[in-house]
Amino acid sequence: MDNKPILFLDSGIGGIPYCRDFLKRNGMETVYYLADRENFPYGPRKKEEIASILISLTEKLLAKINPKLAVIACNTASVSALSPLRQKFPGLPFVGTVPAIKPAVSACKSGKTGVLGTERTIADIRGLNLETGGCEITGVSAPELVEFVEKRIVSADEKEKKEIVKKYVDLFREQGIDALVLGCTHFLYLIDEFRREAEPQIKIFDSLDGITNRIEFLLNENGGELRAGKDCTHDYKFILTGTQPPDSSWINRAKALGFKLCLIDEL
Ligand code: DGL
């Protein structure tokens, strides 16, 4: 049994849906969520820079909270930093988030699959050697959509959400794509809008189920030695990087999740 926390990490709010999904079935585990607001957004940065941000954050968090497992709930950070992280911290299991291309290409009938992600993810997608099943992969980067979700998802009205999503769906539709992968965790906040706008002609894929299943698999390995025990006390924390006091948007996000908000230096 292991009562240490599981860490979920993203540049901002993108990992929260993953955290929620995991807790639905695994409420006995202690979860800490980290939003690296100080370095948001990751998308325009170089691969080496993202890897170095993630390595120094992990070093700090290992010393402060010593997680039993780290979920990189961010495609950009996963494509750039997962290998260096695994090399540097061999004792800490990592779960990464990569665009769900495999299920998308199996469902794709037109031979054309689309991926929507950040600049970094789209630039690096071919290097991941993901199984494309002979499908042509068209990647589109959408930094504007990342900013929209991070800054405006709560205040934006339905019309604005529909318009911004439609712009991207139309682009893929024009290219004859019939399977579209949301390759950025932030886009999960707009999944209903994507489905309404795209389906049934274009099917939408995300990695939510895959990540929860993978975490559960690792926790259950070796007779569940990484699972929390019945005596586990739950202190869910929402950690922010940077030193500036959290504004009301962070306070509300932590409250909605039921986590206690704190700065990384207060740990
Ligand atoms: N949520 C991140 C992802 O899945 C991207 C956001 C960013 O650019 O920082 O790629």
Side-chain angles (χ1 to χ4, degrees), residues 7-266:
L7 173 72
F8 282 70
L9 186 154
D10 179 55
S11 57
I13 64 171
I16 296 176
Y18 290 77
C19 203
R20 271 190 202 287
D21 192 65
F22 172 75
L23 280 171
K24 264 195 251 161
R25 288 205 300 251
N26 299 278
M28 70 299 258
E29 296 292 339
T30 292
V31 169
Y32 289 1
Y33 184 81
L34 181 127
D36 186 13
R37 62 171 177 170
E38 198 177 30
N39 294 302
F40 174 89
Y42 286 165
R45 295 178 189 274
K46 290 200 174 71
K47 205 173 173 144
E48 298 71 29
E49 195 186 352
I50 299 170
S52 124
I53 290 172
L54 268 288
I55 286 175
S56 71
L57 261 180
T58 308
E59 251 157 15
K60 214 168 184 177
L61 291 162
L62 270 173
K64 284 175 180 280
I65 61 168
N66 193 22
K68 63 180 174 187
L69 191 143
V71 183
I72 310 298
C74 172
N75 292 262
T76 312
S78 299
V79 300
S80 305
L82 211 49
S83 307
L85 282 170
R86 287 187 170 133
Q87 248 168 40
K88 179 99 184 149
F89 307 102
L92 177 63
F94 286 94
V95 173
T97 318
V98 288
I101 290 184
K102 208 173 165 187
V105 295
S106 348
C108 174
K109 296 203 169 59
S110 65
K112 292 178 179 177
T113 294
V115 182
L116 195 62
T118 65
E119 307 92 303
R120 183 76 269 135
T121 301
I122 298 305
D124 289 344
I125 212 160
R126 300 205 186 275
L128 293 177
N129 291 325
L130 298 170
E131 187 48 65
T132 63
C135 264
E136 186 188 318
I137 307 288
T138 301
V140 170
S141 63
E144 170 204 25
L145 207 52
V146 175
E147 290 284 339
F148 178 82
V149 170
E150 184 74 17
K151 309 266 162 68
R152 308 224 21 255
I153 197 68
V154 178
S155 59
D157 61 29
E158 291 311 313
K159 189 166 165 270
E160 279 178 282
K161 291 187 200 169
K162 183 181 156 70
E163 270 168 17
I164 197 162
V165 164
K166 185 175 185 312
K167 196 170 103 179
Y168 290 100
V169 171
D170 285 351
L171 218 142
F172 287 107
R173 205 187 295 280
E174 278 159 23
Q175 304 201 32
I177 278 157
D178 67 355
L180 173 60
V181 182
L182 301 185
C184 170
T185 57
H186 276 73
F187 304 162
L188 255 288
Y189 285 85
L190 292 166
I191 187 113
D192 292 341
E193 284 77 8
F194 269 103
R195 294 217 160 107
R196 271 200 292 273
E197 213 49 56
E199 289 181 352
Q201 298 89 349
I202 306 176
K203 208 167 161 6
I204 302 293
F205 294 86
D206 65 69
S207 50
L208 199 60
D209 288 349
I211 298 303
T212 300
N213 291 341
R214 179 70 191 151
I215 307 168
E216 288 176 342
F217 173 82
L218 293 178
L219 293 177
N220 295 339
E221 260 186 334
N222 303 323
E225 65 177 9
L226 276 185
R227 278 284 179 195
K230 286 200 175 65
D231 58 333
C232 180
T233 51
H234 299 117
D235 75 316
Y236 299 112
K237 285 192 169 72
F238 195 119
I239 309 160
L240 293 176
T241 56
T243 50
Q244 67 276 36
D247 62 22
S248 59
S249 68
W250 290 113
I251 296 171
N252 293 337
R253 283 162 184 157
K255 207 165 156 189
L257 201 57
F259 284 24
K260 191 169 174 285
L261 189 62
C262 67
L263 300 181
I264 192 163
D265 292 335
E266 293 167 349

